[in-house]
Amino acid sequence: MPKLVDHAERRRAILEVTWRLIATQGPDAATMREIARQAGYANGALVHYFPNKEALIEAAYVYVSEQTDLRIRAAASGKRGLAALRAFLVELVPTKEVTLLEARIVLPFWSRTVTDGALARTSDARMQRWRDDMVVLLAEARRDGEVRTAVPDAVIAEQLLAMAMGMQVLAQLPDHATTPDLQLRVIEAHLAALA
Amino acid sequence: MPKLVDHAERRRAILEVTWRLIATQGPDAATMREIARQAGYANGALVHYFPNKEALIEAAYVYVSEQTDLRIRAAASGKRGLAALRAFLVELVPTKEVTLLEARIVLPFWSRTVTDGALARTSDARMQRWRDDMVVLLAEARRDGEVRTAVPDAVIAEQLLAMAMGMQVLAQLPDHATTPDLQLRVIEAHLAALA
């Protein structure tokens, strides 16, 4: 029986190398050559999985977003309403080593969306799903009597999404980074004001 | 009398060309050659003002930030407390053509801060000044009885700064952009909750 190649696993391994390289050394350092080297492939072997660097970077962004979503789902699992929303937000903001590293890849991606329409639409769809998820949890929290503010759920979701995205930037500042502790206080204060 | 060259004016003109080029066509399109061409200089004349592209890009970021600060100061002039804070925030978020264009240059800058320490410290200092300004206005609003929440001013300032920075990203989405109207509702809802 011939040796079977697990293409999904190989693809995943390449994406792991790619996003960590971008996060630690910036997008310019993430050449196809260096990614192939770190993933243990011969030069040129990557094109079987990703035709060019643009495709690879977009796939890496989707991969990181999916990892974030998996963690959000795990954290919110078994919770509802405000508790689920809190767990969702805590996973979304960069309070831990892995989410701080993920935030470092988000900035180069956002930068690329200015000139890359396909990447912009991918990013757009992701943000819209997060908004929709938050609105569902807010509606649940209202039914449970946890949220009583007159502010519409769509406005609250926008506040929370904007705050979470802004913290991707602020948590990376070299001298006055928004610390994990302050990020959590920002989230708690906002959720407390919804009652 | 020899013709005098207004170096400050020339420097300003080069920076205007630079940031608008980055905002409309992305940082890769903003080559020293193209900037020189659009500013009406011979190739190589730019180095009298900026030794290299890194220095020019950092200067363009500082320039755009200063333009933002000038507009903030003008908008908040003659106001105090919550009214001044509202004016400050409205100028900071991308609700108008010029601020939306400025937001498009912010993303490539933020991306560069991941690997450019000097630019990261410049961006850090700017964010810290905005926090400080907001804390001053919040303290004033508390003295005037406009703000009564138990949430500390430092946490409120962080919420507002994060929200304003997040909206730089969300306002640029191609299909589900945070509209100027929604940005203003987000700000109003947040300020109303401080009473």
Side-chain angles (χ1 to χ4, degrees):
Chain A
M1 191 176 146
K3 195 174 154 194
L4 292 174
V5 173
D6 185 342
H7 287 290
E9 171 54 29
R10 285 201 171 175
R11 199 172 177 279
R12 200 199 59 77
I14 294 167
L15 293 175
E16 267 292 328
V17 165
T18 305
W19 88 260
R20 286 179 185 272
L21 194 55
I22 295 174
T24 53
Q25 294 177 49
D28 292 343
T31 60
M32 292 292 269
R33 175 188 295 265
E34 181 59 18
I35 292 163
R37 196 188 65 76
Q38 290 200 13
Y41 286 90
N43 228 351
L46 289 196
V47 296
H48 296 302
Y49 296 93
F50 304 99
N52 52 47
K53 191 178 165 181
E54 283 63 40
L56 179 52
I57 286 191
E58 179 158 355
Y61 176 67
V62 170
Y63 174 75
V64 166
S65 300
E66 284 171 354
Q67 297 297 108
T68 305
D69 274 353
L70 285 174
R71 281 202 320 275
I72 288 174
R73 238 166 289 151
S77 166
K79 301 185 181 72
R80 55 179 285 133
L82 225 47
L85 184 59
R86 176 180 292 107
F88 180 110
L89 291 167
V90 169
E91 276 310 321
L92 200 52
V93 299
T95 57
K96 296 179 298 192
E97 199 181 330
V98 62
T99 39
L100 202 50
L101 203 58
E102 283 178 0
R104 284 174 61 94
I105 194 179
V106 158
L107 299 192
F109 277 127
W110 285 346
S111 174
R112 288 179 76 97
T113 63
V114 173
T115 48
D116 181 338
L119 196 59
R121 283 187 297 277
T122 300
S123 175
D124 189 321
R126 175 68 45 176
M127 300 288 185
Q128 188 58 20
R129 271 197 298 278
W130 283 335
R131 277 190 193 97
D132 291 345
D133 291 346
M134 286 197 261
V135 166
V136 167
L137 295 175
L138 284 164
E140 199 171 64
R142 263 187 213 277
R143 283 196 304 274
D144 294 352
E146 296 177 311
V147 170
R148 291 172 222 260
T149 174
V151 179
D153 291 350
V155 173
I156 302 170
E158 202 67 37
Q159 290 178 315
L160 293 170
L161 183 64
M163 248 190 271
M165 294 307 114
M167 288 200 278
Q168 312 292 319
V169 180
L170 298 173
Q172 296 182 50
L173 297 178
D175 300 322
H176 307 91
T178 306
T179 60
D181 176 63
L182 184 52
Q183 292 177 49
L184 297 177
R185 290 171 69 201
V186 158
I187 290 172
E188 284 310 325
H190 202 90
L191 295 183
L194 301 180
Chain B
M1 189 176 150
K3 195 175 155 194
L4 291 174
V5 173
D6 185 341
H7 286 290
E9 171 53 29
R10 285 200 173 176
R11 199 171 177 280
R12 201 199 59 78
I14 294 166
L15 293 175
E16 267 291 328
V17 165
T18 304
W19 88 260
R20 285 180 186 272
L21 194 56
I22 295 174
T24 52
Q25 292 176 53
D28 292 343
T31 61
M32 294 291 270
R33 177 189 292 266
E34 181 59 18
I35 292 163
R37 196 188 67 75
Q38 291 200 14
Y41 286 89
N43 229 348
L46 288 196
V47 294
H48 297 302
Y49 296 93
F50 305 98
N52 51 47
K53 191 178 165 180
E54 282 63 40
L56 179 52
I57 287 192
E58 179 158 356
Y61 176 67
V62 171
Y63 174 77
V64 166
S65 300
E66 284 170 355
Q67 297 298 109
T68 305
D69 275 353
L70 285 174
R71 282 202 320 277
I72 287 175
R73 237 167 288 153
S77 166
K79 301 185 180 71
R80 56 179 281 133
L82 225 46
L85 184 59
R86 177 181 291 107
F88 180 110
L89 291 167
V90 169
E91 275 311 322
L92 200 52
V93 299
T95 58
K96 297 179 299 194
E97 198 180 330
V98 63
T99 39
L100 202 48
L101 204 57
E102 283 177 359
R104 284 174 61 95
I105 193 179
V106 158
L107 299 192
F109 277 127
W110 286 344
S111 174
R112 288 179 75 98
T113 63
V114 173
T115 48
D116 181 337
L119 196 58
R121 283 186 297 277
T122 301
S123 176
D124 189 321
R126 175 68 46 177
M127 299 289 184
Q128 187 58 21
R129 272 198 296 280
W130 283 337
R131 277 190 194 98
D132 292 344
D133 291 345
M134 285 196 262
V135 166
V136 167
L137 295 174
L138 283 165
E140 197 171 64
R142 265 188 211 275
R143 284 196 302 274
D144 292 354
E146 295 177 311
V147 170
R148 292 171 221 259
T149 174
V151 179
D153 291 351
V155 174
I156 302 170
E158 201 67 37
Q159 290 179 315
L160 292 170
L161 183 63
M163 248 190 270
M165 294 307 113
M167 288 201 277
Q168 311 292 320
V169 181
L170 298 174
Q172 296 182 52
L173 297 177
D175 300 322
H176 307 93
T178 307
T179 60
D181 176 63
L182 184 51
Q183 292 177 48
L184 297 177
R185 290 170 71 202
V186 158
I187 291 172
E188 285 308 325
H190 202 89
L191 295 182
L194 301 180

